[in-house]
Amino acid sequence: MKIYKLGEEVLRQKCEEVKPEEIDDSMRQLFEEMFQTMISANGVGLAAPQVGIAKRFFVAMSDDEVRRVFINPVITKTSAELCDYEEGCLSIPGENENISRPEKVSVSALNEHGKPFVLEDVDGLLARIIQHENDHLDGILYIDRGNAETKERIISEFKKRAERAQKKAAQKEAKARSIAAKIAAKNAKKGNA
């Protein structure tokens, strides 16, 4: 699966709730593909908008190695105690920043079978993942919660990367058209001979 990068519109959209009838075998297959994509990219969480889907769900696998699916998650409680943690994001590769978030969270959601569940007073890495991925569903990236100068630098860098990639793609396309035109001209010449 393609992981969408900073600058792509879907990452800034507020996602729509998943309807119960949408939770079917094809959606469960999608969750499996998301887990595979996340694991191969060395991630611990992956939200729907990161794979181009503006729906309210994410997958997570914390240090306990349990695969969890959160559909229509709602953070119901956060602790007053905050903790700092160096966050990164598969949509912002190569960047990290210390972000302060509540130490514990409680969350309610649906699992991959559409069954409701609640996790109370989750802490550690899983609490961090839940908050980070839930932010994605509201179009919020971790850089929005950090240092403003760092955010500006990262956005500027990703804009330059996107422009370079676009220029490279245009050059590749122009070269392919040139080769195709030469082949067509050569074949036309053969046909007249």
Side-chain angles (χ1 to χ4, degrees):
M1 296 179 97
K2 174 190 171 185
I3 296 177
Y4 285 68
K5 303 291 189 286
L6 177 63
E8 295 187 83
E9 200 175 301
V10 69
L11 294 176
R12 292 304 194 172
Q13 291 177 355
K14 189 164 173 61
C15 297
E16 292 177 19
E17 288 223 340
V18 175
K19 295 180 180 87
E21 62 271 17
E22 293 178 284
I23 305 169
D24 59 11
D25 287 343
S26 65
M27 186 170 244
R28 283 185 279 280
Q29 179 59 40
L30 173 64
F31 299 145
E32 185 54 38
E33 289 171 26
M34 287 175 70
F35 275 117
Q36 290 170 10
T37 300
M38 176 191 83
I39 292 165
S40 67
N42 295 315
V44 291
L46 189 63
Q50 291 182 276
V51 292
I53 302 166
K55 291 283 192 174
R56 297 192 75 79
F57 62 86
F58 63 84
V59 299
M61 190 166 71
S62 186
D63 38 15
D64 61 5
E65 301 283 313
V66 175
R67 290 179 176 212
R68 292 180 174 93
V69 174
F70 295 78
I71 302 170
N72 299 335
V74 176
I75 293 177
T76 55
K77 187 172 76 176
T78 58
S79 66
E81 307 82 43
L82 301 177
C83 65
D84 288 349
Y85 189 87
E86 188 175 67
E87 289 189 33
C89 182
L90 296 177
S91 293
I92 311 175
E95 298 289 344
N96 295 298
E97 185 179 1
N98 263 336
I99 303 294
S100 188
R101 292 187 189 264
E103 195 173 325
K104 293 182 180 181
V105 297
S106 296
V107 62
S108 65
L110 301 176
N111 70 13
E112 64 273 24
H113 300 290
K115 303 284 185 240
F117 71 94
V118 174
L119 297 177
E120 295 281 349
D121 295 324
V122 178
D123 61 6
L125 182 59
L126 184 56
R128 181 65 53 162
I129 296 167
I130 290 168
Q131 292 174 81
H132 178 109
E133 300 307 330
N134 197 64
D135 272 356
H136 273 298
L137 306 182
D138 292 320
I140 299 167
L141 302 174
Y142 81 89
I143 57 174
D144 300 329
R145 298 194 179 279
N147 178 289
E149 289 172 16
T150 303
K151 177 181 174 178
E152 296 273 330
R153 178 190 59 77
I154 291 171
I155 289 172
S156 173
E157 174 60 33
F158 272 78
K159 195 173 186 180
K160 287 177 192 166
R161 286 187 200 179
E163 287 166 358
R164 284 193 301 266
Q166 202 172 23
K167 187 176 178 181
K168 196 173 181 179
Q171 288 170 340
K172 192 174 179 180
E173 192 179 311
K175 187 174 182 178
R177 279 198 307 268
S178 170
I179 290 169
K182 286 178 184 174
I183 290 169
K186 195 174 185 180
N187 288 339
K189 229 180 197 180
K190 280 182 187 173
N192 291 339

